């Protein structure tokens, strides 16, 4: 990844081969939502009430469609996404494994990851994510594999 300008980003990958260039813009609404999102304390994002309020603002204020910030991911984990800054993508072009994916459009159907609807509008979201392993056996396996480090 490389920022090629103040609002231009290029993402390049070797395998599978991908070249993706995008140019972002902003607006007063996106600037306001980014200012709010970047100031929300980490602990507050655990509140479903806060997440639902932010989803409503994203739908009504930013026109992102029926987005959700939490839900079950394809691997069965429950995830929470916490947007800090949002930038609408003005132009984008991607070539993936030799196939030109075309230009940026607004999706007629809401794309999803698992049961979590994403933005129908192209948006660069700078955020964090939290995931909870809901399968008890996977949790025990994962916990056993994770090495803890005692800090002085």
């Amino acid at each position: 990844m490389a920022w090629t300008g103040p609002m231009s980003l290029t993402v390049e990958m070797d395998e599978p081969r991908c070249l993706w260039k995008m140019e972002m813009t902003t607006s007063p609404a996106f600037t306001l939502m980014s200012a709010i999102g970047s100031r929300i304390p980490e602990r507050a994002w655990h509140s479903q009430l806060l997440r639902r309020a932010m989803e409503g603002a994203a739908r009504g204020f930013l026109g992102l469609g029926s987005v959700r910030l939490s839900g079950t991911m394809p691997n069965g984990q429950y995830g929470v996404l916490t947007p800090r800054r949002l930038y609408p993508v003005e132009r984008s072009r991607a070539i993936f494994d030799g196939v030109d994916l075309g230009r940026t459009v607004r999706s007629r159907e809401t794309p999803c990851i698992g049961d979590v609807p994403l933005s129908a509008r192209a948006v660069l979201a700078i955020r964090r994510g939290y995931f909870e392993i809901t399968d008890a056996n996977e949790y025990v396996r994962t916990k056993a594999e994770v090495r803890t480090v005692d800090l002085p």
Side-chain angles (χ1 to χ4, degrees), residues 16 23-24 43 83 119 132 139 150:
E23 293 179 31
M24 279 64 69
R43 292 178 49 226
S119 174
E132 176 186 335
Y139 177 81
D150 292 326

Side-chain angles (χ1 to χ4, degrees), residues 13-150:
M13 206 167 66
D14 291 333
E15 191 60 40
R17 186 84 182 118
C18 178
L19 177 62
W20 184 12
K21 296 182 179 190
M22 61 189 95
E23 293 179 31
M24 279 64 69
T25 187
T26 194
S27 71
F30 276 88
T31 299
L32 177 62
M33 289 300 291
S34 291
I36 292 168
S38 65
R39 286 176 177 77
I40 294 174
E42 211 58 48
R43 292 178 49 226
W45 285 106
H46 293 281
S47 163
Q48 187 175 29
L49 182 63
L50 170 74
R51 290 192 312 268
R52 295 301 174 249
M54 294 297 279
E55 291 165 356
R59 281 190 294 277
F61 195 52
L62 301 178
L64 299 185
S66 60
V67 298
R68 280 210 348 250
L69 298 175
S70 60
T72 304
M73 301 297 154
N75 64 1
Q77 294 180 350
Y78 181 79
V80 175
L81 305 174
T82 63
R84 303 304 187 179
R85 299 198 181 277
L86 300 167
Y87 300 95
V89 176
E90 187 172 41
R91 282 185 295 283
S92 173
R93 201 71 188 221
I95 299 172
F96 185 81
D97 229 7
V99 177
D100 187 340
L101 300 181
R103 59 188 173 81
T104 305
V105 297
R106 182 181 180 91
S107 178
R108 290 185 188 149
E109 295 180 23
T110 303
C112 294
I113 293 179
D115 72 353
V116 180
L118 304 174
S119 174
R121 179 180 180 183
V123 174
L124 174 69
I126 299 171
R127 59 179 155 195
R128 291 186 180 169
Y130 299 93
F131 299 90
E132 176 186 335
I133 300 172
T134 54
D135 178 277
N137 292 330
E138 182 183 354
Y139 177 81
V140 170
R141 266 192 325 274
T142 303
K143 191 171 180 183
E145 291 174 9
V146 174
R147 196 175 99 207
T148 57
V149 176
D150 292 326

